[in-house]
Amino acid sequence: MNKNTHYQNLQPNYLFKEITDRAVAYTEAHPEHKLLRMGVGDVTRPLPPAIIQAMQKAVAELGQAETFRGYCLEEGYEWLRQAIIDNEYTPKGIDLDIHEVFIGEGAGSDLGNLSELFSSDNKVAILEPTYPAYADASIMAGRPITYLPCHAENGFVPELPKQKADIIYLCFPNNPTGTVLTYAQLKEWVDYARRNGSIIIYDAAYVAYISQPGIPHSIYEIEGAKEVAIEVKSYSKSAGFTSVRCGYTVVPKETGLQAMWLRRQCTKYNGTSYIAQRAALATYTPEGQAGIHANLDVYKATALLIKNGLQTMGYEVYGGDNAPYIWCRSPHGWDSWSFFDHLLRQCQVLCTPGVGFGPSGEGYVRFSAFSKSEDCIEALQRMKEQI
Amino acid sequence: MNKNTHYQNLQPNYLFKEITDRAVAYTEAHPEHKLLRMGVGDVTRPLPPAIIQAMQKAVAELGQAETFRGYCLEEGYEWLRQAIIDNEYTPKGIDLDIHEVFIGEGAGSDLGNLSELFSSDNKVAILEPTYPAYADASIMAGRPITYLPCHAENGFVPELPKQKADIIYLCFPNNPTGTVLTYAQLKEWVDYARRNGSIIIYDAAYVAYISQPGIPHSIYEIEGAKEVAIEVKSYSKSAGFTSVRCGYTVVPKETGLQAMWLRRQCTKYNGTSYIAQRAALATYTPEGQAGIHANLDVYKATALLIKNGLQTMGYEVYGGDNAPYIWCRSPHGWDSWSFFDHLLRQCQVLCTPGVGFGPSGEGYVRFSAFSKSEDCIEALQRMKEQI
């Protein structure tokens, strides 16, 4: 038996382990100090009552013979796929067939698993700094990767690949920089993909955080995108479902990949939890919408609070307006870990060193807007006292 | 962009579509006749109260700030992994480390995704007739497959592969034939794998249905198996979780694959639903055990009812004693679809044509024990009247 030797090319991923180790070491030395965790990419606010009730009802159904149900279709219940089309796409003037929407248990899985629709010789382009999963999936498949640097000097807008890229991973609003692209900027990518027969895998996990008018919420708002783009969405950050597990992937027939994805899911996936699908459907009721928007409004307000607070102190910051992440330049020319250590030791504030997302992240750190606003206010106060 | 061209080698899988089409056509022509579905591989009995309560509690926690939680570790909560070791392995004298147990959302996904730990040049051996997913995953990866026929003439015990097989998919108790292997028979496979450096992927989805004493419930009961076997388990058929979605995969460190599977899951999986993990944990409480065994006892009794009823009528049947499937030879030398059509038209009974599971399934049909026992009794009665 021969192992997949491409795994040997993976870099050990110690970012969050290293953060944890340093935090633990500090806490052991200073148990009296409360650490404020400002870098965690996970939701913290409870699910709204409308969603809890929908889940309780679904659970109760599974306990009664008359209402018990087993396997669903691998692609998900029609009522959820239709609700997604009716709520997320039709209002934007995007016309999708129910067979082009695939319910899954989260973007992490679909982003990884889409990789197998392509042969290993495809060249990949990935923005950098980046959520590591796109790169790792490409390395596991043995595909060569071109990284497209995003930094303050280019306004975090990546240049089109100079070499032909067959598979392009885009994420907007961006984790970790918080960048959004305009229609015109996204159209350059769609046009590039159309010219080159490329596929764009568009991670749209954070579109619920967009506040700026006119910023596209779906790649399919761009003319021609249905030929070249697969869009991956998740209820994790938009509705708080990180422990519920539900998302969906759109594979338009024009990409030529819809039938392959269906076959892949029918072979390697046995469907999404009934409870999770009922929870997702509940997000589209008026009460569900009110509830998730109440939570989103808190996270968005926290993002602005962090951004404005840092700017007031003289930090150079990006993001925060259209994403739950604030990308902050280290002061004094410090590298990412030096700024991390300063914040930990002097302020007992934890952030995420930007270099952990790629070389263009060096000299930046990421703050997340998911922490309680009281903790953010305290963190900013501690940072102010240390200036 | 180049697609994964191995997908072109997949056979269209029309088994369940064809069954549905023929059932629908019959019902349209004879709406007055009630069809009895005796071939469906899905549970039907509601979840026990102890499990429903655990799920309700988990859902309620997600609705309160003090108890809300987000992402879990990709490999699953320690309390569930430990419970699996304490309940499923330690009592059998099998010693596993918590890091060797990986919670997932179902066997279907893990069986498919394990494929990527191996390079594409590995030769695969698969029993036949078979659940199609192992073969399809292998074809998608471009691996050559040797099928090992199982039929009445060899007692449904496959011969060891004559050519060297690098990856061997075994499923015992078997879907669709209901066969179980003894310790000695399984040891031949483990010894083969050890001699040849092969990996056995052991689908143990149905071990909860074993009634015969002395039949192994885990591949790791076999000496040396930890070096060569990955075991895939699911709560779907043992606890009724087909719409809840929870399972686990054991990857012993001795296989040399544990770190790779961990890396794969940390890249392409964001963890299993909290609700599903609490449900799984509840299956190990005394009330949970009582509840799931009550359901299992009904399915097991139904399996015996079907088997004995068919035998009494003179049918040649296999399985049913240690699996929820009964494998029945078509009478009069009929092929599978002819027997299917006869049962549909003359008795309004639906089964699953064995040829849909592979060429060695030709001339057999599969009955499932998940249907209500009243329906089974009626189905057998209708068949008796037609003899």
Side-chain angles (χ1 to χ4, degrees):
Chain A
M1 178 277 295
N2 296 322
K3 298 178 188 179
N4 177 345
T5 53
H6 300 309
Y7 273 59
Q8 293 165 12
N9 299 326
L10 292 166
Q11 294 301 316
N13 191 336
Y14 291 138
L15 176 61
F16 292 101
K17 183 181 189 314
E18 186 63 30
I19 293 170
T20 304
D21 287 351
R22 294 192 193 201
V24 165
Y26 182 87
T27 304
E28 283 173 358
H30 303 278
E32 69 286 4
H33 288 163
K34 174 187 164 190
L35 290 185
L36 297 172
R37 297 174 185 280
M38 305 295 297
V40 178
D42 193 359
V43 293
T44 52
R45 295 182 64 76
L47 299 180
I51 296 176
I52 295 296
Q53 283 155 26
M55 294 170 80
Q56 298 289 31
K57 181 167 186 293
V59 169
E61 287 174 29
L62 299 183
Q64 302 298 323
E66 305 77 30
T67 49
F68 178 83
R69 60 177 79 198
Y71 288 119
C72 68
L73 286 178
E74 290 89 345
E75 55 266 50
Y77 282 107
E78 281 206 20
W79 35 257
L80 180 55
R81 290 184 276 146
Q82 192 61 53
I84 287 164
I85 290 172
D86 294 344
N87 286 277
E88 308 266 15
Y89 292 97
T90 304
K92 298 185 182 74
I94 297 164
D95 181 31
L96 290 176
D97 187 292
I98 203 170
H99 301 293
E100 297 174 313
V101 179
F102 295 82
I103 310 301
E105 47 79 30
S109 302
D110 287 2
L111 286 164
N113 294 332
L114 280 162
S115 178
E116 68 174 87
L117 299 187
F118 311 105
S119 57
S120 54
D121 60 356
N122 287 285
K123 296 180 170 55
V124 177
I126 302 177
L127 310 190
E128 180 276 300
T130 183
Y131 178 61
Y134 325 130
D136 285 354
S138 303
I139 292 168
M140 287 170 172
R143 296 188 185 112
I145 303 171
T146 297
Y147 290 96
L148 308 171
C150 301
H151 38 65
E153 291 68 30
N154 65 10
F156 302 98
V157 179
E159 287 187 20
L160 293 173
K162 292 188 169 47
Q163 294 176 313
K164 181 165 172 271
D166 303 302
I167 304 170
I168 304 164
Y169 289 86
L170 299 180
C171 173
F172 293 109
N174 187 262
N175 174 18
T177 68
T179 308
V180 289
L181 295 194
T182 63
Y183 180 99
Q185 289 169 325
L186 284 170
K187 190 165 191 307
E188 286 196 41
W189 288 91
V190 170
D191 290 347
Y192 173 95
R194 292 174 84 189
R195 282 196 306 276
N196 289 282
S198 319
I199 287 288
I200 294 170
I201 296 180
Y202 196 77
D203 182 353
Y206 301 102
V207 294
Y209 291 81
I210 295 170
S211 299
Q212 188 176 331
I215 295 295
H217 286 233
S218 166
I219 191 64
Y220 304 117
E221 293 185 43
I222 314 306
E223 187 191 345
K226 283 171 80 179
E227 296 169 28
V228 295
I230 292 172
E231 181 158 282
V232 181
K233 298 280 294 288
S234 169
Y235 294 95
S236 286
K237 303 293 169 36
S238 60
F241 281 21
T242 50
S243 62
V244 175
R245 311 306 318 144
C246 195
Y248 57 93
T249 290
V250 179
V251 189
K253 290 177 183 169
E254 289 100 310
T255 59
L257 295 166
Q258 185 267 353
M260 287 180 76
W261 185 245
L262 175 62
R263 187 62 191 262
R264 191 269 170 206
Q265 294 297 76
C266 287
T267 298
K268 299 188 181 187
Y269 188 59
N270 268 343
T272 305
S273 152
Y274 176 60
I275 300 145
Q277 293 192 63
R278 280 292 184 200
L281 185 71
T283 68
Y284 298 118
T285 62
E287 301 82 4
Q289 281 286 295
I292 68 172
H293 279 286
N295 282 344
L296 284 166
D297 287 347
V298 171
Y299 294 138
K300 290 178 187 177
T302 306
L304 290 178
L305 186 146
I306 295 171
K307 179 172 188 168
N308 294 338
L310 292 170
Q311 274 179 330
T312 303
M313 282 185 253
Y315 287 101
E316 182 187 331
V317 288
Y318 304 94
D321 299 304
N322 296 292
Y325 299 119
I326 298 91
W327 194 236
C328 180
R329 182 96 80 164
S330 303
H332 317 303
W334 288 345
D335 65 32
S336 298
W337 280 108
S338 297
F339 190 24
F340 172 92
D341 282 336
H342 167 83
L343 289 172
L344 173 57
R345 291 185 202 137
Q346 304 306 325
C347 310
Q348 295 81 53
V349 167
L350 284 173
C351 63
T352 309
V355 67
F357 296 97
S360 296
E362 181 63 279
Y364 297 88
V365 299
R366 186 190 78 175
F367 293 98
S368 310
F370 298 116
S371 308
K372 288 187 208 172
S373 48
E374 310 88 73
D375 286 353
C376 295
I377 292 167
E378 187 179 348
L380 291 165
Q381 185 59 31
R382 291 181 189 178
M383 289 173 70
K384 197 167 160 186
E385 285 161 9
Q386 285 299 325
I387 291 177
Chain B
M1 179 276 296
N2 296 320
K3 298 179 189 180
N4 177 346
T5 53
H6 301 309
Y7 273 58
Q8 292 166 10
N9 299 326
L10 291 165
Q11 293 301 316
N13 190 338
Y14 291 139
L15 175 61
F16 292 100
K17 183 182 188 314
E18 186 62 29
I19 292 170
T20 304
D21 286 352
R22 294 192 192 201
V24 164
Y26 182 88
T27 304
E28 284 172 0
H30 303 278
E32 70 287 4
H33 289 164
K34 173 187 165 188
L35 291 186
L36 298 171
R37 297 173 185 280
M38 304 297 297
V40 177
D42 192 0
V43 293
T44 53
R45 296 182 64 76
L47 298 180
I51 296 175
I52 295 295
Q53 283 155 26
M55 295 169 79
Q56 300 288 33
K57 182 168 185 294
V59 170
E61 288 173 27
L62 299 182
Q64 302 298 323
E66 305 76 30
T67 49
F68 179 83
R69 58 178 79 198
Y71 288 119
C72 68
L73 286 177
E74 290 90 345
E75 56 267 50
Y77 282 107
E78 280 206 19
W79 36 257
L80 180 56
R81 289 184 276 146
Q82 192 60 54
I84 287 165
I85 290 171
D86 294 343
N87 286 275
E88 309 266 14
Y89 291 96
T90 304
K92 298 185 183 72
I94 298 165
D95 180 30
L96 290 176
D97 187 293
I98 203 170
H99 302 293
E100 296 174 313
V101 179
F102 294 83
I103 310 302
E105 48 80 30
S109 302
D110 287 1
L111 286 165
N113 294 332
L114 281 162
S115 178
E116 67 173 88
L117 299 186
F118 311 105
S119 57
S120 54
D121 58 355
N122 287 285
K123 296 180 170 54
V124 176
I126 302 177
L127 310 191
E128 182 275 300
T130 182
Y131 178 60
Y134 326 131
D136 284 355
S138 303
I139 292 168
M140 288 169 172
R143 296 188 186 112
I145 302 172
T146 298
Y147 290 97
L148 307 171
C150 301
H151 37 67
E153 291 68 29
N154 64 11
F156 302 98
V157 179
E159 286 186 21
L160 293 173
K162 293 187 170 47
Q163 293 176 313
K164 181 166 172 272
D166 302 303
I167 304 170
I168 304 163
Y169 289 86
L170 299 180
C171 173
F172 295 108
N174 186 261
N175 174 19
T177 68
T179 307
V180 290
L181 296 194
T182 63
Y183 180 98
Q185 289 170 325
L186 284 170
K187 191 166 190 310
E188 286 197 40
W189 288 90
V190 170
D191 290 347
Y192 173 95
R194 293 174 82 189
R195 282 196 306 274
N196 289 281
S198 319
I199 286 289
I200 294 170
I201 296 182
Y202 195 78
D203 182 354
Y206 301 101
V207 294
Y209 291 82
I210 295 171
S211 298
Q212 187 175 331
I215 295 295
H217 286 235
S218 166
I219 190 64
Y220 305 116
E221 293 184 43
I222 313 305
E223 186 191 348
K226 285 171 80 180
E227 296 169 29
V228 294
I230 292 173
E231 182 159 280
V232 181
K233 300 278 293 290
S234 170
Y235 293 94
S236 286
K237 304 292 168 37
S238 60
F241 281 21
T242 50
S243 62
V244 174
R245 312 306 318 145
C246 195
Y248 57 93
T249 290
V250 179
V251 189
K253 289 176 182 170
E254 289 100 309
T255 60
L257 295 166
Q258 185 268 352
M260 287 180 76
W261 185 243
L262 175 63
R263 188 60 192 262
R264 191 266 170 209
Q265 295 296 78
C266 287
T267 298
K268 299 189 182 189
Y269 189 59
N270 269 342
T272 306
S273 150
Y274 176 60
I275 300 145
Q277 293 191 64
R278 280 293 184 200
L281 185 72
T283 68
Y284 299 117
T285 63
E287 302 83 3
Q289 280 285 295
I292 68 172
H293 279 286
N295 282 344
L296 285 166
D297 287 347
V298 171
Y299 294 138
K300 290 177 187 177
T302 306
L304 291 178
L305 186 147
I306 295 172
K307 179 174 189 166
N308 294 337
L310 292 170
Q311 273 179 331
T312 302
M313 283 185 252
Y315 288 100
E316 182 186 332
V317 288
Y318 304 93
D321 299 303
N322 296 294
Y325 299 118
I326 298 90
W327 193 237
C328 178
R329 182 97 79 163
S330 303
H332 317 304
W334 289 346
D335 66 32
S336 297
W337 279 108
S338 299
F339 190 24
F340 172 92
D341 282 336
H342 167 82
L343 288 172
L344 173 57
R345 292 187 200 134
Q346 303 306 322
C347 310
Q348 295 81 54
V349 167
L350 285 174
C351 62
T352 309
V355 67
F357 297 96
S360 295
E362 181 62 279
Y364 297 87
V365 300
R366 187 191 77 175
F367 293 97
S368 310
F370 298 116
S371 307
K372 288 188 209 170
S373 48
E374 309 89 73
D375 286 354
C376 294
I377 291 166
E378 188 179 346
L380 291 165
Q381 185 59 32
R382 292 181 190 180
M383 289 173 70
K384 197 167 162 191
E385 287 163 9
Q386 286 300 325
I387 290 178

